[in-house]
């Protein structure tokens, strides 16, 4: 196994992600800037955080696959969410959970950070996903 995810006793639980990832391998894969857009740039799920999270994760999976990786190889995820507030957690997790099985994204997720931002590159973009993976 290239990547092992876990949360040791004594760390905050439960959370929707593991706190620790250990990777063994030599090839790093970085997928960045994945938003709710189709390949031709058409926006997906305008105004819908759950729908945008789902599409951004789909796009992340495409990037990983292009490098010969999958979510099983992901060491960590970073989510940037515009106008973040704790009340949005349900919609955020609904988006993750709606595609997790289809994409092979384990729950709890790999170590993850959710960073609230004021604005992303276009006003209709609510979330951006970045992934770091490790392959043998």
């Amino acid at each position: 196994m290239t990547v092992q995810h876990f949360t040791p006793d004594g760390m905050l639980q439960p959370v929707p992600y593991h706190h620790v990832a250990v990777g063994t391998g030599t090839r790093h894969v970085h997928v960045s800037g994945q938003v709710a857009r189709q390949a031709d740039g058409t926006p997906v799920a305008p105004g819908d955080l759950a729908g945008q999270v789902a599409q951004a994760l789909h796009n992340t999976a495409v990037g990983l696959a292009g490098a010969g990786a999958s979510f099983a190889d992901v060491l960590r995820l970073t989510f940037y969410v515009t106008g973040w507030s704790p009340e949005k957690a349900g919609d955020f997790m609904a988006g993750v959970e709606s595609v997790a099985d289809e994409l092979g994204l384990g729950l709890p997720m790999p170590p993850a950070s959710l960073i609230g931002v004021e604005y992303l590159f276009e006003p209709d973009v609510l979330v951006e996903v970045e992934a770091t993976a490790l392959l043998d």
Side-chain angles (χ1 to χ4, degrees):
M1 176 181 229
T2 302
V3 177
Q4 177 189 12
H5 302 119
F6 60 97
T7 297
D9 289 339
M11 296 187 90
L12 179 65
Q13 295 183 39
V15 292
Y17 56 89
H18 288 287
H19 289 279
V20 179
V22 176
T24 55
T26 56
R27 198 166 136 228
H28 291 242
V29 177
H30 300 268
V31 179
S32 183
Q34 298 312 296
V35 298
R37 294 273 201 270
Q38 295 176 359
D40 67 0
T42 302
V44 174
D48 174 12
L49 180 59
Q52 288 203 16
V53 168
Q55 183 63 42
L57 287 169
H58 268 285
N59 293 346
T60 302
V62 170
L64 290 166
S70 72
F71 277 107
D73 303 305
V74 170
L75 286 167
R76 72 170 285 107
L77 292 166
T78 304
F79 296 89
Y80 298 93
V81 182
T82 61
W84 177 256
S85 66
E87 297 79 33
K88 294 182 178 184
D91 289 340
F92 175 84
M93 284 308 300
V96 171
E97 292 166 356
S98 73
V99 295
D101 287 342
E102 173 189 350
L103 300 179
L105 174 58
L107 295 176
M109 291 184 285
S113 295
L114 188 155
I115 301 168
V117 297
E118 183 176 336
Y119 190 83
L120 289 164
F121 75 100
E122 294 284 339
D124 65 313
V125 175
L126 302 178
V127 65
E128 179 182 319
V129 179
E130 294 182 356
T132 301
L134 189 62
L135 300 173
D136 287 328

